[in-house]
Amino acid sequence: MTAIHIRKPALTLRAGARAMARLREQGLSPADVHVIPGAAGGPKALGLSGLDKAIFGDWLLRAPQPRSLIGSSIGSWRFAAVASSDNPSAQLAKLAELYTTQRFSKGVSAEEVTRKSLLFLEELLGGREEYLLNHPVYRLNVMVVRSLGLLAEDSRRQLGMGLVRAISANMVGRRHLGRFMERGIIHDQRAQAPLADLLDFPSHHVPLSRENLIPSLLASASIPLVMAGVRDIPGAPAGVYRDGGLLDYHLDLPYTQPGVVLYPHFTDRVIPGWFDKSLPWRKGTASHLQDVLLVAPSRDYLDTLPGRKLPDRKDFERYLGDDAGREKAWRAAIAESDRLGDEFLELVESGTMADVLQPL
C-alpha cells in the first residue's frame, strides 16, 4: 500500500477579534494592509527571511500605498533594509548574510559589539539613506528607550544594579518601568506613527532624519550589557538610549489604522516587554490586537530546522569556537524560510486563509 504523506503547515496564523471577522468575511488583500510591526528578537529575524521576501518583495508590491513599518531592535533593522531599496528582497538577503557572518570572540566587550554593529548598519544602508527617508510608500518608525537613573550608566556594576531593580519593579507591575525608562518613537517626517495616545509610559515622538537614522537604529538594538548605550540621538531629548524591546518587545501598542495590521512574527505569542519573557501571565492587550493578523512559523516547521528552532543569540555561545557550524545552521534556516513565504502566498491567493485562522 502506498503511504499517504500529508504536508504539515509551516505557518501558524492568529487574528484579533475584529481582524478575524473581517478575514472570514472577505479574505486578505495587500490593499488591506497599512501597518506592519516588527518585533525584537535578534537572529530570529533570519528565520523569517523568506516570509519577509514574499510579503515585501512580492505581495505588497501588488497594491502600492503608504504603509507604516514599526520596529524595535532587529525589527527596525529589517524594516530599514526593506525601505532602503526598490529591491527589498535583495536588501533582506544582504541583512541576513551580514548578520550570519558576524563573529565575536569569547568575552567580547560591549564597545566592540557596538563598533561591529555600527559597521553592519553602515554597510547595509550606506548610500541609501535618502531613498529610505523619502521612500515612495514606506514610513519607518524606530522604537527606542531613553534610560533613566542607573540604566543610563555604562558601568557594568551600576547598569547591572539598575537592571535588577527594573526587573524587580516589573514583577510588581509593568507600569513601574516608567521609573527606569521612557519610550522614544523616531518616525518618518511625513507621518506620525499610526498609534493612539500612549498613556502607559512617557513617550517622545522625534522626526527621523539623515542625522539620527543610524544612531536611532543602533540604539534600538542596544541590549544593556551586550552593547553600549547611544548618547544624545539628534533631535531627541538628551540622554542615553537603548534597545526599544525593553519596553516594546513585541509591540503591544494601540494601533489606529484602516484594515488589518499584518504582523510577521517569530512566535504566536505577543509579549509586551523584554522583562516579561519569563512571565507567562503577561500577554498582549486584546484591544491593541483586535486588528492584528499574526503570521508565525508553526511548531511542525520549527521541528525541521537545525536545533528545532530559529537562530538566536545563544547560538554565539552554543557554537563558540565553531563559527562555520553556526553559519551553516543559520543558512539552512534562512533557506528553509522560503517555505514560510510560499505558504503565505498560497493562503492569500487561494482564499483559504480563513480556514486556518486561530484566535490571538
Side-chain angles (χ1 to χ4, degrees), residues 59-136:
W59 190 65
L60 291 178
L61 297 179
R62 304 175 193 180
Q65 62 188 11
R67 293 187 171 97
S68 294
L69 310 179
I70 306 178
S72 61
S73 198
I74 192 62
S76 69
W77 290 27
R78 284 164 62 204
F79 293 161
V82 165
S84 63
S85 171
D86 59 1
N87 187 348
S89 293
Q91 278 294 87
L92 287 164
K94 184 176 182 180
L95 181 148
E97 181 62 15
L98 286 171
Y99 209 134
T100 298
T101 54
Q102 287 187 113
R103 296 188 174 191
F104 300 105
S105 59
K106 185 177 181 179
V108 62
S109 68
E111 290 73 22
E112 178 64 8
V113 178
T114 299
R115 186 186 71 84
K116 287 191 172 182
S117 298
L118 181 57
L119 292 174
F120 182 122
L121 287 170
E122 289 174 344
E123 185 167 352
L124 179 67
L125 302 176
R128 300 178 178 274
E129 296 90 347
E130 292 303 322
Y131 189 90
L132 186 158
L133 294 170
N134 297 284
H135 195 282

